[in-house]
Amino acid sequence: MTQQIQKTLRDSAAMRWTALLLLALAMFCSYIFMDILSPIKDLMQETRGWDSTSFGTMQGSEVFLNVFVFFLIFAGIILDKMGVRFTAVLSAAIMLIGAIIKWYAVSESFMGSGLEQWFNTHLNYIPVFDELGVSPFYAGMPASAKFAACGFMIFGCGCEMAGITVSRGIVKWFKGREMALAMGSEMALARLGVATCMIFSPFFARLGGEVSVSRSVAFGVVLLCIALIMTIVYFFMDLKLDAQTGEAEEKDDPFKISDIGKILSDSGFWLVALLCVLYYSAIFPFQKYAVNMLQCNLTLTPPDADSFWASPSVTIVQYVIMLIVAAAGFASNFQKKANLRSILLGISILALIAYCYMGFMRQSAESIFAVFPLLAVLITPILGSYLDHHGKAATMLVLGSLLLIGCHLTFAFVLPIFKGSAVGGIIIAYATILVLGASFSLVPASLWPSVPKLVDAKVIGSAYALIFWIQNIGLWLFPLLIGKVLDATNPGVTDPTQFNYTAPLVMLASLGVAALLLGLLLKVVDKKKGLGLEEPNIKG
């Protein structure tokens, strides 16, 4: 008898990692656009009149439709009914449409237009939402912020749909294989989008010596066009995989509304979902204010205008060094030869030191915060591989929460002490930001691969959608709260670099405390019910 084993695309490591790369690059582009205005908050106040409340309201609008119109729940149903490839392309298209609207809202063309006049006189009162205190607009909100919020809402629908789609796609291509490593690797690459945004958004806004915030947003729009192309390529790869396996996505076992009830009745699911909303609410909203927080807590002296450190070319050089840090550190995790692994790790560390030195010389808050994902890129594959082979996901959630609490309290109470020290403050900032990035690796790398252990495969898309929906409540609320708390605790402060951030940071640290308590409870429930969260993903 001849043994002929039919191999599919996902049986090939190169093909399944190529599929992952396409999805990860699309998320990389979306992460850039998500925070495209974050490093230029001060410029938005100076050029468009956005105070902290306006800025926070606009930033929180990203998830408004997902939370209050339940779009994310519908996205999960679409994913379960239509499959990964269709939903991936749809989400990329929706993100691009929203991004174009946001770009026009902050462009010079919008200023003085009839559309600006319309937004000035409308959307100042939204029935029901105003009574509930959850309106994405308010009277006196700048017209450009209102219209940008509309575009950001649409972008947010596509972005969160993409998030659950990528998670489902990784499960499809990697289940029974190195799934935690794949999810961790995707997150590591996507996190580089945050660093890219922090470096290039101010670069484009100030390019040529003339400030134009719309150039930064246009940069993000171009990248989302590339993201759409990536998802189209993935579409055909996924189509070929189904042709090889004979699978028809979710057709034989259709989604039922009653499945949501099964998910919601699981205590393990709720613990993971609540931990997710607490942890992510302490990270993503913080990213939107982090650069401004550093501007307010560090003594930064701009370099001479004619020096290398003030030239546009230094931005490119620093970004190339960042890519070396990320690429060498990431690749070191996959080397079987100890010597080669050590060489790559050494290159990564030396490049990181060089990057930090350049950030210090540039005296740039945005380039300092851009180190946020670099340690995450280095250790996320290690964590993913450890989870695949040894488990301990719930333990990592607890450790990540502890690091989160320590970092926010350091920003709140330690960093301001060093404000008069040009060197000491930046060293404290770099160390804390890197540790926060490491914390951000611990939680997602252990959280998302745990979901398939809690629900049936047929409703994984809906389970992810429900978790993202709950998470989005925090992502809507806390950017808004931070902005309101900033304005309330800094009365009369008009200089965007002179805010006191202590109160918002303590609020974020308290979320970490709640996440820590839930993580400890999750360990108890896992042990009692045998959820398998502490068990490895790869058996045998």
Side-chain angles (χ1 to χ4, degrees):
M1 186 173 101
T2 59
Q3 289 186 341
Q4 291 185 337
I5 301 174
Q6 179 67 37
K7 287 198 171 186
T8 66
L9 286 179
R10 66 177 160 219
D11 292 320
S12 165
M15 287 297 99
R16 63 176 178 268
W17 283 94
T18 298
L20 175 72
L21 182 63
L22 291 170
L23 293 174
L25 285 173
M27 291 306 296
F28 168 82
C29 295
S30 71
Y31 267 58
I32 292 174
F33 193 85
M34 188 187 302
D35 281 316
I36 200 71
L37 295 182
S38 299
I40 54 174
K41 177 180 180 291
D42 56 328
L43 297 182
M44 297 309 299
Q45 182 164 339
E46 293 170 5
T47 64
R48 296 296 185 270
W50 294 14
D51 61 12
S52 293
T53 300
S54 301
F55 184 82
T57 303
M58 191 286 302
Q59 295 282 38
S61 69
E62 177 195 356
V63 295
F64 181 83
L65 294 178
N66 290 325
V67 174
F68 295 105
V69 188
F70 304 102
F71 180 82
L72 197 47
I73 304 299
F74 297 128
I77 296 173
I78 291 170
L79 176 56
D80 281 329
K81 295 281 282 185
M82 303 301 296
V84 173
R85 57 180 173 269
F86 172 85
T87 314
V89 175
L90 177 63
S91 63
I94 292 173
M95 283 193 290
L96 181 58
I97 292 170
I100 292 172
I101 293 173
K102 185 174 179 178
W103 164 75
Y104 181 69
V106 301
S107 70
E108 286 72 18
S109 299
F110 179 74
M111 298 173 67
S113 67
L115 194 58
E116 181 187 36
Q117 181 61 35
W118 188 92
F119 274 93
N120 272 323
T121 56
H122 293 79
L123 301 182
N124 293 315
Y125 171 74
I126 310 296
V128 180
F129 288 108
D130 265 277
E131 279 73 17
L132 294 174
V134 298
S135 176
F137 315 107
Y138 62 87
M141 186 176 180
S144 58
K146 287 181 186 176
F147 194 34
C150 293
F152 212 26
M153 286 180 201
I154 297 171
F155 167 83
C157 290
C159 187
E160 296 303 318
M161 178 188 282
I164 59 173
T165 303
V166 168
S167 298
R168 179 63 178 270
I170 293 173
V171 170
K172 178 177 181 177
W173 283 78
F174 285 87
K175 190 168 186 179
R177 297 177 175 87
E178 56 278 85
M179 186 164 64
L181 176 61
M183 286 195 172
S185 299
E186 179 271 323
M187 290 171 195
L189 181 57
R191 299 290 182 262
L192 276 179
V194 178
T196 304
C197 167
M198 295 300 162
I199 287 182
F200 281 106
S201 179
F203 171 78
F204 283 109
R206 296 185 173 94
L207 190 63
E210 181 183 349
V211 172
S212 174
V213 294
S214 65
R215 280 198 299 258
S216 297
V217 185
F219 166 65
V221 171
V222 171
L223 291 177
L224 287 175
C225 291
I226 296 173
L228 178 59
I229 295 171
M230 294 289 181
T231 58
I232 292 172
V233 175
Y234 173 83
F235 179 97
F236 290 103
M237 279 192 70
D238 196 80
L239 187 65
K240 185 174 181 179
L241 175 64
D242 280 359
Q244 290 176 333
T245 61
E247 295 174 0
E249 292 188 325
E250 286 72 54
K251 301 294 185 183
D252 297 329
D253 201 1
F255 171 86
K256 305 184 200 55
I257 295 296
S258 60
D259 291 330
I260 293 180
K262 296 176 185 176
I263 297 171
L264 296 179
S265 63
D266 189 290
S267 60
F269 165 83
W270 273 109
L271 286 173
V272 169
L274 291 175
L275 199 154
C276 175
V277 68
L278 289 169
Y279 188 84
Y280 275 69
S281 294
I283 292 288
F284 282 119
F286 170 71
Q287 284 178 191
K288 300 181 185 302
Y289 291 87
V291 171
N292 187 233
M293 183 275 294
L294 292 176
Q295 290 171 338
C296 296
N297 285 302
L298 294 175
T299 301
L300 300 172
T301 305
D304 293 337
D306 58 349
S307 71
F308 167 73
W309 302 110
S311 66
S313 58
V314 72
T315 302
I316 308 299
V317 173
Q318 194 176 18
Y319 189 65
V320 170
I321 292 175
M322 174 190 290
L323 293 180
I324 294 172
V325 175
F330 189 78
S332 69
N333 293 287
F334 299 90
Q335 302 305 316
K336 295 181 179 179
K337 294 182 179 179
N339 290 339
L340 185 55
R341 187 187 310 120
S342 298
I343 290 172
L344 287 171
L345 190 57
I347 292 172
S348 180
I349 293 172
L350 290 174
L352 177 60
I353 294 171
Y355 175 89
C356 292
Y357 173 75
M358 293 186 73
F360 170 74
M361 294 301 294
R362 291 184 66 189
Q363 295 286 288
S364 163
E366 51 267 22
S367 67
I368 291 171
F369 185 71
V371 302
F372 174 65
L374 295 188
L375 191 57
V377 172
L378 176 61
I379 70 172
T380 298
I382 299 174
L383 296 173
S385 182
Y386 185 88
L387 283 164
D388 282 329
H389 294 93
H390 302 286
K392 304 298 181 184
T395 301
M396 288 192 180
L397 292 173
V398 170
L399 179 57
S401 299
L402 284 170
L403 293 176
L404 174 69
I405 296 167
C407 289
H408 281 314
L409 291 180
T410 299
F411 285 132
F413 299 108
V414 179
L415 188 60
I417 296 174
F418 289 84
K419 185 171 184 178
S421 173
V423 177
I426 289 180
I427 291 175
I428 294 292
Y430 270 135
T432 310
I433 292 166
L434 285 168
V435 172
L436 186 65
S439 168
F440 203 15
S441 294
L442 281 164
V443 173
S446 52
L447 184 72
W448 299 121
S450 299
V451 177
K453 297 179 180 180
L454 300 174
V455 300
D456 292 335
K458 179 174 70 71
V459 292
I460 286 176
S462 298
Y464 279 125
L466 285 169
I467 292 176
F468 272 59
W469 178 72
I470 295 168
Q471 169 191 314
N472 273 219
I473 295 174
L475 300 186
W476 159 76
L477 177 63
F478 282 94
L480 175 62
L481 280 181
I482 294 172
K484 287 182 176 295
V485 169
L486 269 179
D487 282 339
T489 56
N490 293 272
V493 177
T494 57
D495 186 342
T497 64
Q498 297 300 317
F499 290 121
N500 185 327
Y501 267 85
T502 303
L505 289 167
V506 170
M507 177 178 67
L508 296 176
S510 67
L511 294 178
V513 173
L516 173 62
L517 295 175
L518 276 179
L520 293 171
L521 181 59
L522 183 62
K523 282 177 65 70
V524 174
V525 172
D526 174 60
K527 187 174 182 180
K528 183 178 179 181
K529 293 192 173 184
L531 298 176
L533 298 182
E534 295 282 83
E535 296 177 2
N537 294 316
I538 299 175
K539 307 293 185 181

